[in-house]
Amino acid sequence: MTSPAIEAPTPPLRNVFAVKLLGLPLNRHDNLVCFMVIVLAVLLQIRLQHTFLGEGWIAILGFAGYVALRQWLLSRRYPEPGEILLEADCISLPGSLNAGKPELILFSDLKAVTARFFKTKGGGQSLTSIEFDTGFRSYFVNWLAADLSLLERELIRRGVRVTRVAGTYEQAIGLGLVAFALLLLLIFLVYFLR
């Protein structure tokens, strides 16, 4: 006599997304300190424009210094960046993405999940952030912190409705032009009013 086959319980769906250090947020003061490295490098580049150092190398080193200083500040602020855990019915965000406090969000509590992206000239889409809105609070995960395309696919696979919102290059270029104009104004004030 044969016994009926005993089915093993299926393990719960669980995905782990490592949080990368460079994509974590810094406060305004730390962002200003990092940005000043670039400003000082550009000012030094302008000052040395008629020498052999005036070819742009100092500005490139300033950008490398910006990235290195940002990485150093982030590693001091977040010694353990943590992981995003995606369970069958909830998502767990580490404290590094939520001002130091870990958060567990049930899918039933979500009001909206928005994936923001930019269209490339070739017609592709590049995700820039995913926002989890619970009605009381919103939680953001940006593109440097985790693999957003894989996170979005797993959310959809679990039945979470993800709304895509397109950004345009015009918006990104507009913000870039405003930042560039402010940088030029700062250079003008420092260089010509000294």
Side-chain angles (χ1 to χ4, degrees), residues 93-149:
L93 299 176
S96 59
L97 291 174
N98 188 29
K101 180 184 168 203
E103 191 68 37
L104 180 70
I105 305 168
L106 298 174
F107 292 151
S108 60
D109 292 341
L110 286 173
K111 302 295 182 213
V113 177
T114 306
R116 301 186 195 295
F117 68 93
F118 281 106
K119 285 188 174 184
T120 60
K121 294 220 179 211
Q125 296 179 355
S126 178
L127 289 177
T128 58
S129 68
I130 292 182
E131 175 188 2
F132 300 98
D133 185 14
T134 61
F136 299 109
R137 183 132 191 239
S138 294
Y139 305 94
F140 289 92
V141 180
N142 71 24
W143 67 280
L144 285 173
D147 185 1
L148 296 184
S149 58

Side-chain angles (χ1 to χ4, degrees), residues 7-63:
E7 293 184 22
T10 59
L13 297 173
R14 182 175 189 186
N15 292 91
V16 178
F17 299 91
V19 174
K20 298 176 190 91
L21 198 60
L22 197 57
L24 296 177
L26 282 174
N27 60 23
R28 288 183 193 148
H29 178 265
D30 290 343
N31 278 327
L32 180 65
V33 168
C34 291
F35 183 68
M36 288 308 291
V37 172
I38 293 177
V39 170
L40 292 174
V42 169
L43 291 175
L44 185 61
Q45 184 72 57
I46 291 170
R47 185 75 174 147
L48 299 174
Q49 67 184 345
H50 298 297
T51 66
F52 71 96
L53 295 172
E55 298 295 324
W57 296 109
I58 296 174
I60 292 172
L61 291 175
F63 180 72

